[in-house]
Amino acid sequence: MEVVKISNLQLGYEKKTVVRNFTTNIEKGEIVSIIGPNGSGKSTILKSLVKLLKIQEGMVHIGKNSITNMSNKEVSQNLSILLQHNTSPSDISVRDLIYYGRLPHKKWYQSKDIDDEQIIDWAIENANLKELQYKKINCLSGGERQRVWLAVALAQEPKVLLLDEPTTYLDISYQLELLELVKKLNQNLNMTVIMVLHDLNQAAKYSDRIIVLKKGQIVGNGSPREIFTKELLREVYNVEAKIYYDDLDHYPVIIPKKVI
Ligand SMILES: Nc1ncnc2c1ncn2[C@@H]1O[C@H](COP(=O)(O)OP(=O)(O)OP(=O)(O)O)[C@@H](O)[C@H]1O
């Protein structure tokens, strides 16, 4: 069953078009990663899905509804996004910040209720934040903060979680921790995930499907084993690479050797 249907999307900034003919269906429970060189249009696509950027041409449907006919609030009830950079008041507590994720589900006159508290508890549990929930945001490390923003996105109770380079600026253990959390959410709750990743090995390990963008166009769409070939890495990244396969889970492991 598809949750998001993207047809012939054309996107850009003012007169400049940066993404053309982007078409794909996202199935319920899939983890889809969008990869591609710098400036290929990956973040632009995520921004358009949550209406942070106007669509030039094409359609995005969530279920039967076109996002063009949905309010930002309605879109936020279905899709939540974890951005690369997030800012918040520094003296706010983790728990209070996570409440912001509930706002798309509230009317302006409604205040926090018992249901919100339960969903905040659920988001805290799933983002491993129990011990940190009463701390102030400015007392947390970068990796801990990223988990808080993940919890804000979860508190939105989205059908689809969008992650824009979620591991940037995190050290290797926080990177793994975050992607393992995403995998757990996907496995335990059947949450659909669309993420932009730079690290090809992370994309290979954590994705069901990979979409490869080059200069705003799809040049590959398939499973990690289908996508990661020497030819594709040469064509898209101008890199000569060796490819091995994990002994246990058989996903590709990419070792870049040299720039061509
Ligand atoms: N706000 C903006 N105004 C004008 N042009 C923009 C804006 N944001 C992005 N662009 C341009 O759109 C193109 C695609 O950018 P985008 O950020 O989507 O690429 P990306 O694949 O996510 O890149 P990266 O991997 O470097 O994050 C680039 O040429 C970029 O310069």
Side-chain angles (χ1 to χ4, degrees):
M1 190 185 65
E2 69 204 21
V3 272
V4 182
K5 190 175 162 74
I6 307 171
S7 323
N8 285 314
L9 211 53
Q10 181 176 308
L11 305 169
Y13 301 90
E14 293 168 19
K15 288 199 178 111
K16 190 172 133 198
T17 296
V18 298
V19 172
R20 285 190 177 79
N21 285 326
F22 188 87
T23 297
T24 192
N25 290 342
I26 310 290
E27 300 288 325
K28 172 88 189 128
E30 253 193 317
I31 300 186
V32 178
S33 293
I34 305 175
I35 63 164
N38 287 129
S40 55
K42 305 178 295 295
S43 300
T44 300
I45 292 170
L46 289 197
K47 279 191 262 175
S48 75
L49 299 182
V50 287
K51 293 187 85 163
L52 289 173
L53 180 73
K54 203 162 175 262
I55 293 171
Q56 288 181 340
E57 277 179 34
M59 305 273 259
V60 176
H61 282 86
I62 304 173
K64 288 198 170 63
N65 302 321
S66 160
I67 61 167
T68 319
N69 303 326
M70 294 166 79
S71 65
N72 288 2
K73 195 169 171 174
E74 283 169 323
V75 171
S76 302
Q77 289 167 0
N78 289 279
L79 308 182
S80 63
I81 187 162
L82 176 63
L83 294 166
Q84 264 181 66
H85 305 282
N86 295 287
T87 43
S88 68
S90 57
D91 58 347
I92 193 169
S93 77
V94 168
R95 210 178 157 89
D96 287 344
L97 185 62
I98 296 171
Y99 173 63
Y100 281 88
R102 296 300 306 143
L103 297 184
H105 294 278
K106 310 289 290 181
K107 302 229 169 21
W108 62 269
Y109 53 83
Q110 289 178 315
S111 50
K112 200 193 302 177
D113 59 26
I114 185 80
D115 288 348
D116 297 319
E117 297 288 0
Q118 280 174 357
I119 292 160
I120 293 167
D121 283 339
W122 169 85
I124 285 172
E125 177 84 36
N126 277 288
N128 287 348
L129 287 167
K130 246 182 169 160
E131 267 103 75
L132 300 177
Q133 60 179 308
Y134 299 110
K135 293 225 155 132
K136 301 273 189 231
I137 286 290
N138 57 356
C139 300
L140 305 184
S141 73
E144 290 164 346
R145 272 182 219 190
Q146 193 67 330
R147 285 206 325 262
V148 175
W149 288 108
L150 177 67
V152 175
L154 290 180
Q156 267 175 255
E157 293 187 291
K159 289 199 177 84
V160 183
L161 182 63
L162 308 178
L163 308 164
D164 192 1
E165 296 178 28
T167 56
T168 312
Y169 310 121
L170 301 185
D171 74 31
I172 190 164
S173 75
Y174 277 131
Q175 291 185 18
L176 267 181
E177 184 186 63
L178 192 90
L179 289 169
E180 287 293 327
L181 267 178
V182 169
K183 192 169 119 188
K184 197 179 87 186
L185 287 166
N186 170 260
Q187 288 179 339
N188 297 353
L189 308 170
N190 202 24
M191 189 167 283
T192 310
V193 178
I194 308 175
M195 57 186 173
V196 166
L197 286 178
H198 267 296
D199 187 312
L200 303 185
N201 285 312
Q202 289 176 351
K205 182 172 177 200
Y206 289 99
S207 316
D208 299 314
R209 181 156 65 95
I210 292 181
I211 298 176
V212 190
L213 271 195
K214 186 180 177 186
K215 295 185 181 152
Q217 308 240 36
I218 296 182
V219 292
N221 185 354
S223 69
R225 284 180 76 100
E226 286 166 338
I227 290 299
F228 289 119
T229 61
K230 285 181 180 182
E231 293 71 28
L232 181 124
L233 296 169
R234 223 179 276 141
E235 188 208 326
V236 176
Y237 290 98
N238 293 322
V239 158
E240 207 62 66
K242 285 207 163 176
I243 297 168
Y244 301 93
Y245 295 93
D246 182 73
D247 292 344
L248 209 60
D249 298 319
H250 310 294
Y251 55 80
V253 177
I254 299 121
I255 315 273
K257 288 288 178 185
K258 62 173 184 184
V259 179
I260 304 165

